Amino acid sequence: IPPPPLLHPEGVRMLRPSASVLLGYFTLVNIFIYLDRGIIPGAPQEFSDFIIKNELGTATDVWFGLLQSAFIAGLSVSSLVFGHLLHYFSGFWLMGVGLTMWSCAVLLSGFSGVVESYSLLLVARILSGVGEASYASIAPVFICDNAGDKQGLWIAIFYTAIPLGTALGYIYSAVVANAAGWRFAFFIEGFIVLVLALLCFWIPEDAFPIRKNKPATHSKQPQSQSQSTQEPATATTEASLTSPSPPPSSATHTDMPSPSASPRENDRAPLLDGVHHPTYTTNNLAEAAKGSAREVTVGQDGVLSSPCADDGGGEEGKAASPPSVVEELLAVVTAPSFLVLTWGYAAYAAATMGFSTFGSSFLMGLGFFRHETSASSVFGAMVSLAGILGTPLGGVLADRWEMREEHRQGTEGMHRDMDGVTPRNEEEEKETEYMRNLRLSSVTFIMTVASLVAFLIFIPSVYMTTPFGFLGGFFLGMIVLFMTQGLMNLGLLLAVPPENRSFAFALATILLHLLGGGAAPGRG
């Protein structure tokens, strides 16, 4: 039975949504963020007239492009700040502050149209990047730690908001700008996201635990009178992965947690008696046989509590003090996988930016279309649909491949009990590291294969002389290429120690915008 809703000290009932509802909430907010990015390019004529009214000269494309890319300035300055503050503050509180700031900046963007001030609009766009930084660097960490064995799919769903939100932004901006003016496009989305932002302040962080800091110690489990029941938890990592031992006889007791129950439900199962026992939270018997059982104690409320959490009791359950900015930066930039993935992601971003900038002109140059409007509409719809189809497909394939590798190595379900908790000793730290590397290898394998297949599809497509042949091959190649989008983000989270993920993601976001997608295209 789930615990009763936690009450705020002032009597306000807190929100405790399920993990799937949280994913839906994050994805919805992400759609609005990318919808906002499509407002300015979706109403080019209206914003050009606005620039001319402000007497900024004849180079309207320059000022237009500056508006589109201004958010990068705010994003770059504040991403690392929010990524590091996660060590000190609640992640939901930080996201609530950031999204509230983002909503206010969007409303200020609309107000700039009322007073007809380009400078105010430019400042508002920069501030929107500051607000976005908190959400962009923290939300993926919560998804990663609460997705269970569907990390690839859940991260991919979250990032499907990029092509979906951008495509909707173009349509939304054009419709609203023609009906009531572009300023109302900002007003409408600003008020909607403001309501969504306030929900973050009513979600307690203990509802979705994440790992923020290193364990304070890595000592082995102390010997006690219940030594016989502790043996599975102190087995070495190599033995637990290669030669599983039979589960303890107490695992067959009728009061043990159900193998089909969720990890959160199993954690609250009743104890057999008042002493320490291992609990088998996911795939109970198989996990016990692998030596990955975790010690639990009975609390005052009569339910299980794990000392693995960041706020756990005892020296082995406590987390170390937060790292300094320099320590965190060194931990991230010295991770080889992080550097390789970041450079690869930058190349991907540069390629897709080139597609979006020159795609319609390229189609017209090939003689497939005579009018820019038709070429832009067809090309934009084709790329957006490819992203919507390809991004979640890549996540599904990565999850399937990881399950295949877990089955081959006999480690099914081990990682489900490790997400969001701090290892208590060196053995559990090695187990966590092993499973993280296994996930990373699965993700990079699918990314490598997808990139190679996309390349092989693009090569013959460029030699097609008919619109059907060229567009068909290009569309199929983009679907396969977009399969890597969500996986690259998941790979960045897996490439660094769990306590540095938010900071690493913030740093990667800055590098991607500077190296791969920093220049917003003007209107060709």
Side-chain angles (χ1 to χ4, degrees), residues 14 102 121 276 320 332 334 397 435 449 453 488:
M14 303 294 281
W102 185 90
L121 178 58
H276 292 71
V332 171
T334 55
L397 292 179
M435 296 307 300
V449 173
V453 172
M488 281 185 282

Side-chain angles (χ1 to χ4, degrees), residues 70-86 94 97-99 101-102 125-138 325 502-503 505-507 509-510 513:
F71 77 94
I72 297 178
L75 187 71
S76 301
V77 171
S78 54
S79 286
L80 295 180
V81 175
F82 281 107
H84 187 68
L85 286 178
L86 183 61
L94 289 174
V97 171
L99 289 176
M101 184 182 300
W102 185 90
R125 302 313 293 163
I126 295 175
L127 292 178
S128 69
V130 176
E132 181 183 339
S134 68
Y135 181 80
S137 59
I138 297 176
V325 175
S502 181
F503 188 88
F505 210 76
L507 180 61
T509 301
I510 295 174
H513 283 104

Side-chain angles (χ1 to χ4, degrees), residues 135-209:
Y135 181 80
S137 59
I138 297 176
V141 177
F142 279 95
I143 296 175
C144 185
D145 269 359
N146 292 278
D149 57 356
K150 297 180 180 180
Q151 277 189 345
L153 176 60
W154 282 33
I155 287 289
I157 291 175
F158 178 73
Y159 284 103
T160 303
I162 296 179
L164 178 60
T166 303
L168 292 177
Y170 278 81
I171 301 173
Y172 168 76
S173 177
V175 172
V176 176
N178 291 331
W182 58 264
R183 62 185 65 87
F184 286 96
F186 288 118
F187 286 144
I188 294 172
E189 69 165 359
F191 282 115
I192 293 176
V193 176
L194 182 59
V195 175
L196 296 175
L198 296 178
L199 295 177
C200 282
F201 295 106
W202 273 268
I203 302 178
E205 187 164 9
D206 62 350
F208 299 99

Side-chain angles (χ1 to χ4, degrees), residues 8 31 132 147 155 164 179 209 281 318 340 419 446 485 507 514 516:
H8 191 271
I31 289 175
E132 181 183 339
I155 287 289
L164 178 60
T281 55
K318 292 181 180 179
V340 172
D419 294 333
I446 297 299
Q485 180 166 271
L507 180 61
L514 294 178

Side-chain angles (χ1 to χ4, degrees), residues 257-271:
S258 170
S260 61
S262 66
R264 187 177 302 175
E265 291 170 346
N266 282 337
D267 284 346
R268 305 193 64 82
L271 284 176

Side-chain angles (χ1 to χ4, degrees), residues 278-322:
T279 182
Y280 310 101
T281 55
T282 306
N283 291 342
N284 303 342
L285 302 182
E287 189 169 341
K290 297 179 181 63
S292 58
R294 300 189 180 274
E295 180 187 3
V296 294
T297 57
V298 64
Q300 295 180 354
D301 55 355
V303 297
L304 295 182
S305 60
S306 172
C308 306
D310 287 345
D311 58 348
E315 290 299 321
E316 297 183 24
K318 292 181 180 179
S321 58

